[in-house]
Amino acid sequence: MKKADAKKVVGILLLFALMYLAGAGIAKTVQLVQESVVQTSSSGENWGLSFQQEGEAPVANATADEMKKYDAYYIDQSGEKVIYLTFDAGFENGNTAPILDALKKHNVKATFFLVGNYLRTSPDLVKRMIAEGHTVGNHTESHPNMSKIGNMEAFKKEIGGLETLYKEVTGEELVKLYRPPQGIYSTKNLEMAKELGYKTIFWSLAYVDWYENKQPTKEEAFKKLLGRIHPGAIVLLHSTSKTNGEILDELLTKWEEMGYTFKPLTDLVQSESQS
């Protein structure tokens, strides 16, 4: 073979090699893009939000469409100026009654995600929630890190334990809405919740309101809750918060003055299930 021909052959081989490597790289990139953002490690993932613009929806760990594959929700994408108000409650410290008073005054129906301790210690407040048209959701029996639970038997124990307590207290079946404790989850959790018929509910707006001895001021609360509210928001508040109990009436008024209305969370999941 002539020297020139040999160089040509080498060049062609190098070109094919580069094309192969490029193709493999593209294929890998496509594979990574196609994989759902909610795929997590065995240690789990914390639900997270990044607020880019005041009055607009945040960027979350995953898109609403990706989460919907697991019957999981954190926002209403309709663009309607509606708020879905939710409360997490692990125990009672005297702030739920004023919260319920404010909700009743504004005719707002909320969802309370309760753990086993709350049902055992505060059955009268649970019954009041139901009597006033609110929904109770499943926040698990003992509030563990659910992402560490990888088998259905253990998962059902946490979910089913709360269902049993709720029926003992109210005589009714629990609505199948589930919120992972602390927002820590794994893909396996989402799959198991869906298999049990649950809708997993995250949120698109929350603020640091859960430290009993370090409560935010009214001004701090309003700065977050008014500045970051957005159409279709699922709002997470804690009913243990003294600040929330004190400001809720005024907060609901301010949201109403901004043009927002309120709907129960069950409306969202029903409409999404039918779409």
Side-chain angles (χ1 to χ4, degrees):
M1 183 182 293
K2 293 181 180 179
K3 191 173 183 180
D5 292 337
K7 287 184 176 180
K8 186 181 293 185
V9 171
V10 171
I12 292 171
L13 290 173
L14 285 171
L15 178 61
F16 275 112
L18 289 171
M19 289 174 65
Y20 174 81
L21 291 172
I26 291 170
K28 182 62 177 175
T29 301
V30 170
Q31 180 186 354
L32 291 173
V33 170
Q34 288 176 336
E35 287 178 355
S36 170
V37 179
V38 295
Q39 295 292 333
T40 63
S41 68
S42 58
S43 62
E45 182 170 339
N46 291 308
W47 182 247
L49 302 169
S50 173
F51 288 86
Q52 311 288 317
Q53 181 89 26
E54 186 170 301
E56 293 186 2
V59 176
N61 285 23
T63 69
D65 288 338
E66 288 165 341
M67 296 301 281
K68 193 175 178 181
K69 293 186 299 185
Y70 302 94
D71 284 348
Y73 305 89
Y74 72 92
I75 195 169
D76 176 354
Q77 299 182 87
S78 69
E80 183 181 353
K81 293 190 75 173
V82 61
I83 295 170
Y84 302 89
L85 196 55
T86 71
F87 293 87
D88 286 2
F91 59 94
E92 178 52 41
N93 60 356
N95 295 304
T96 302
I99 285 172
L100 288 170
D101 290 342
L103 294 172
K104 186 175 183 179
K105 178 180 177 180
H106 290 262
N107 194 30
V108 172
K109 307 306 179 188
T111 300
F112 288 83
F113 287 94
L114 307 181
V115 300
N117 173 71
Y118 197 97
L119 283 156
R120 291 188 185 91
T121 60
S122 308
D124 290 342
L125 281 170
V126 176
K127 291 175 183 176
R128 180 182 170 186
M129 292 172 190
I130 304 305
E132 295 181 359
H134 304 295
T135 301
V136 170
N138 199 323
H139 205 33
T140 73
E141 158 64 21
S142 63
H143 204 264
N145 178 344
M146 293 293 279
S147 71
K148 294 184 177 180
I149 296 178
N151 66 82
M152 179 59 87
E153 183 180 356
F155 191 85
K156 285 177 71 174
K157 184 177 179 180
E158 279 294 333
I159 298 296
L162 199 285
E163 291 175 346
T164 300
L165 277 172
Y166 180 79
K167 189 163 186 178
E168 289 174 355
V169 170
T170 67
E172 300 177 8
E173 298 293 335
L174 186 70
V175 176
K176 292 198 170 186
L177 300 176
Y178 161 63
R179 174 165 284 160
Q182 301 179 67
I184 303 174
Y185 68 99
S186 69
T187 301
K188 186 67 175 176
N189 291 165
L190 300 179
E191 291 171 343
M192 289 189 291
K194 181 178 180 179
E195 187 175 339
L196 294 176
Y198 273 85
K199 312 294 185 184
T200 300
I201 308 298
F202 292 98
W203 57 89
S204 62
L205 176 58
Y207 79 121
V208 181
D209 62 348
W210 55 84
Y211 295 115
E212 273 196 278
N213 299 320
K214 193 179 178 182
Q215 280 289 290
T217 65
K218 172 182 174 180
E219 292 71 26
E220 289 169 339
F222 279 166
K223 182 178 180 180
K224 294 289 177 65
L225 297 173
L226 297 179
R228 292 181 172 179
I229 196 62
H230 52 272
I234 296 179
V235 178
L236 162 61
L237 301 175
H238 286 82
S239 61
T240 52
S241 167
K242 185 173 185 290
T243 298
N244 290 342
E246 292 172 346
I247 71 168
L248 189 59
D249 181 17
E250 186 178 354
L251 176 64
L252 295 176
T253 298
K254 288 182 178 295
W255 276 337
E256 288 165 345
E257 290 172 348
M258 294 170 71
Y260 283 92
T261 57
F262 302 88
K263 288 184 179 180
L265 197 54
T266 48
D267 280 13
L268 174 62
V269 297
Q270 286 171 4
S271 65
E272 289 289 339
S273 297
Q274 294 167 1
S275 64

